[in-house]
């Protein structure tokens, strides 16, 4: 297994290109199952999760072709995927594949809507909490699907097609909203989704589906109205920039000090997180090229932050903010309201010298003068990258183990940081 070695204490200066959003790419790839025509996705990040989803789609008979690099393209430009689900050969998504990536459960919606049946393994446990799929199942039932659980599989049937309906989510769910939109796009009649997730990735997928011929209004707000259509066609769509990658590098620069432009980043995708950085004393300047993040020698003011669905502060940046606040000048509080168990980074940050106390969903972080390098590892993507942020400011050497977690969601992390002066290298197993 690869490891990453970091020698802390260097400031970051220069620019970092922001890749396409993982959490838009995955549902966009899944949406390709809704049509027999080709869906072309541009600005797709090179990530392990994208490769794994390609395999999962391949299992259903989907053809994925990756466009070659054009002259003049830098190695950081996203890849172009040509995805064609002309022939769906299998409507089962097996446990071996679904258990490795939770989002792959979402194939249930397009398979059911287009083929009238789907058999998808329950995703099972996950390091950041129980993460059930009850609301996704509820949404499909509201559209007329008959659902049963059989041998660990969710079996969904709609022999005569799905029918538009009213879906009111009791809790905001990103996956539930994606699933409902995809299924309703090919349902007969009108669907209204209330309390829909407003994450930018929802709007990105809806924009793409509309290019494919869907009739979706209100995506990006909490009320989405979908008029079902009989069929969808191909389209070409460019994936939005990754707001979590943007926020992560912004926090890395805030941690080390320095001056970095996050190229292609869009401030409106993460305003709540940028506001927190500004309150902490970080300079945040939108520019034509992206977002400039700077901090001089002055210390970081502590913050009090609660994770919320969009447009609130994202749970996917909670671990990174916690790493940053280990160096705050005083006591910070971070409350995690989205996932009940997303604090695995706390014990590992403590190995670097952080002082963090947990009480239920609330963490109290007492800023320390210095962190010291140590061997660490983490069990999920965002927790792993929080350790990288802490390591960049720690004295001496930190070895981050289990790098495959990072590879799931950060494209060439070590190259991007080294390009700005960090002493970071990958040690291949
Ligand atoms: N929930 C239920 N029942 C359901 C579905 C969700 O109780 O049927 C609960 C979850 O357990 C959680 C809350 O609702 O407590 C929100 O979960 P949501 O469905 O919104 O999460 P998700 O769709 O599974 C996506 C992202 C996550 C991100 C969350 C929240 C993708 C591929 N994943 O997950 O991203 O944390 O939304 O914003 O889009 C990551 O990228 O590291 C990551 C975990």
């Amino acid at each position: 297994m690869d490891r990453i070695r970091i020698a802390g204490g260097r400031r970051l200066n220069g620019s970092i290109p922001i890749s396409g959003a993982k959490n838009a790419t995955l549902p966009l790839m899944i949406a390709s199952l809704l049509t027999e025509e080709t869906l072309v996705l541009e600005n797709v990040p090179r990530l392990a999760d994208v490769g794994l989803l390609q395999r999962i789609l391949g299992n259903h008979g989907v053809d994925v072709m990756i466009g070659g690099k054009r002259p003049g393209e830098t190695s950081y430009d996203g890849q172009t995927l040509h995805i064609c689900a002309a022939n769906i050969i299998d409507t089962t998504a097996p446990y071996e594949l679904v258990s490795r990536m939770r989002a792959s459960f979402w194939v249930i919606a397009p398979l059911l809507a287009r083929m009238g049946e789907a058999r998808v393994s329950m995703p099972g446990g996950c390091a950041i909490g129980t993460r059930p799929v009850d609301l996704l199942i509820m949404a499909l039932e509201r559209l007329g699907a008959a659902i049963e659980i059989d041998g660990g599989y969710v079996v969904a049937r709609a022999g005569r097609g799905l029918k538009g309906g009213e879906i009111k989510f009791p809790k905001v769910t990103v996956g539930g909203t994606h699933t409902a939109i995809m299924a309703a796009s090919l349902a007969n009649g009108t669907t209204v989704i209330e309390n829909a997730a407003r994450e930018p990735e929802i709007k990105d997928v809806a924009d793409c589906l509309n290019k494919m011929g869907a009739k979706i209004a209100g995506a990006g707000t909490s009320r989405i109205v979908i008029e079902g259509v009989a069929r969808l066609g191909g389209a070409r769509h460019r994936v939005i920039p990754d707001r979590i990658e943007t926020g992560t590098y912004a926090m890395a620069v805030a941690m080390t000090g320095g001056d970095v432009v996050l190229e292609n980043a869009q401030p409106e995708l993460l305003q709540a997180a940028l506001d927190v950085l500004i309150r902490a004393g970080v300079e945040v300047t939108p520019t034509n090229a992206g977002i400039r993040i700077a901090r001089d020698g002055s210390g970081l003011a502590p913050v009090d932050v609660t994770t919320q669905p969009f447009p609130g502060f994202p749970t996917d940046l909670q671990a990174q903010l916690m790493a940053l606040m280990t160096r705050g000048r005083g006591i910070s509080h971070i409350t995690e309201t989205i996932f009940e168990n997303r604090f695995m980074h706390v014990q590992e940050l403590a190995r670097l010298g952080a002082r963090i106390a947990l009480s239920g969903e609330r963490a109290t972080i007492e800023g320390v003068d210095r962190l010291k390098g140590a061997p660490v590892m983490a069990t999920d993507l965002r927790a792993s990258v929080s350790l990288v942020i802490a390591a960049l400011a720690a004295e001496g050497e930190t070895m981050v183990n289990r790098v495959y977690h990072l590879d799931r969601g950060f494209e060439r992390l070590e190259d991007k940081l080294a390009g700005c002066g960090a002493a970071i290298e990958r040690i291949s197993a």
Side-chain angles (χ1 to χ4, degrees):
M1 257 185 265
D2 288 5
R3 295 176 294 166
I4 282 185
R5 178 159 58 202
I6 299 167
R10 302 233 193 140
R11 292 163 76 84
L12 295 173
N13 284 294
S15 60
I16 296 179
I18 298 302
S19 299
K22 167 179 85 79
N23 288 351
T25 300
L26 301 178
L28 283 165
M29 290 174 72
I30 289 172
S32 70
L33 286 166
L34 287 165
T35 173
E36 66 268 20
E37 291 181 19
T38 300
L39 177 64
V40 181
L41 297 178
E42 297 172 354
N43 199 31
V44 171
R46 293 169 177 79
L47 298 173
D49 271 7
V50 171
L52 179 57
L53 183 55
Q54 210 175 308
R55 273 186 51 202
I56 293 169
L57 293 176
N59 199 56
H60 298 298
V62 178
D63 243 7
V64 181
M65 197 196 78
I66 300 178
K69 226 171 28 169
R70 295 207 186 83
E73 269 185 358
T74 69
S75 56
Y76 282 131
D77 284 334
Q79 38 188 7
T80 299
L81 258 45
H82 297 249
I83 311 174
C84 184
N87 300 304
I88 292 178
I89 55 172
D90 193 343
T91 53
T92 297
Y95 175 74
E96 304 77 67
L97 295 173
V98 178
S99 59
R100 293 175 59 188
M101 182 173 48
R102 191 184 145 81
S104 58
F105 183 82
W106 303 346
V107 299
I108 195 168
L111 288 175
L112 174 66
R114 184 166 148 205
M115 307 299 287
E117 60 164 43
R119 197 178 139 81
V120 180
S121 169
M122 307 266 275
C126 145
I128 63 175
T130 50
R131 298 180 84 185
V133 288
D134 55 321
L135 300 176
L136 284 70
I137 291 174
M138 177 277 285
L140 297 176
E141 282 176 337
R142 300 291 300 165
L143 300 179
I147 307 262
E148 60 176 7
I149 311 293
D150 177 25
Y153 281 73
V154 179
V155 183
R157 286 194 190 86
R160 274 178 261 122
L162 292 169
K163 287 196 293 286
E166 278 198 19
I167 301 168
K168 189 167 179 162
F169 287 112
K171 175 176 192 175
V172 176
T173 154
V174 171
T177 306
H178 279 310
T179 309
I181 292 176
M182 284 192 245
S185 291
L186 283 185
N188 190 1
T190 304
T191 296
V192 179
I193 307 174
E194 303 276 5
N195 199 26
R198 289 178 282 166
E199 269 65 8
E201 293 76 20
I202 300 282
K203 176 154 189 315
D204 199 38
V205 174
D207 286 348
C208 177
L209 287 170
N210 282 339
K211 287 181 203 166
M212 293 162 68
K215 294 192 175 147
I216 304 165
T221 75
S222 54
R223 185 169 190 273
I224 302 177
V225 180
I226 302 141
E227 229 181 277
V229 296
R231 64 176 295 281
L232 293 170
R236 177 176 277 269
H237 183 78
R238 189 173 174 81
V239 179
I240 56 169
D242 196 310
R243 64 196 165 96
I244 304 304
E245 191 195 24
T246 306
T248 299
Y249 288 125
M251 289 184 200
V253 179
M255 185 64 153
T256 61
D259 193 335
V260 171
V261 174
L262 304 175
E263 290 170 17
N264 312 319
Q266 292 176 9
E268 63 277 14
L269 300 182
L270 72 158
Q271 199 54 55
L274 296 176
D275 288 344
V276 168
L277 288 178
I278 292 167
R279 288 208 299 278
V282 179
E283 245 184 85
V284 176
T285 321
T287 71
N288 287 339
I291 308 174
R292 183 177 154 228
I293 306 288
R295 184 170 74 79
D296 57 20
S298 57
L300 290 161
V303 296
D304 190 340
V305 170
T306 300
T307 61
Q308 297 286 353
F310 192 86
F313 186 92
T315 173
D316 289 344
L317 285 173
Q318 180 256 110
Q320 298 90 315
L321 180 66
M322 196 175 298
L324 180 62
M325 284 305 142
T326 62
R327 296 294 313 281
R329 278 174 318 189
I331 304 221
S332 294
H333 296 286
I334 300 181
T335 305
E336 170 60 58
T337 67
I338 308 294
F339 293 111
E340 76 273 19
N341 185 28
R342 204 174 201 183
F343 282 129
M344 275 84 47
H345 41 288
V346 169
Q347 284 312 313
E348 295 300 298
L349 288 170
R351 294 171 56 76
L352 299 172
R355 288 201 199 129
I356 303 168
L358 280 181
S359 169
E361 58 181 22
R362 185 171 149 102
T364 302
I365 305 114
E366 185 187 338
V368 293
D369 287 339
R370 54 153 83 151
L371 298 172
K372 272 192 163 174
V376 290
M377 71 175 171
T379 43
D380 82 84
L381 167 59
R382 311 303 177 186
S384 297
V385 85
S386 79
L387 301 174
V388 171
I389 291 178
L392 289 172
E395 287 171 10
E397 188 178 292
T398 296
M399 189 71 83
V400 182
N401 294 294
R402 294 204 186 169
V403 168
Y404 64 87
H405 286 297
L406 288 171
D407 292 336
R408 293 187 61 178
F410 290 92
E411 181 174 344
R412 283 178 243 218
L413 170 104
E414 67 278 13
D415 292 347
K416 291 188 183 185
L417 287 170
C420 289
I424 178 169
E425 63 174 341
R426 176 181 293 251
I427 300 167
S428 295

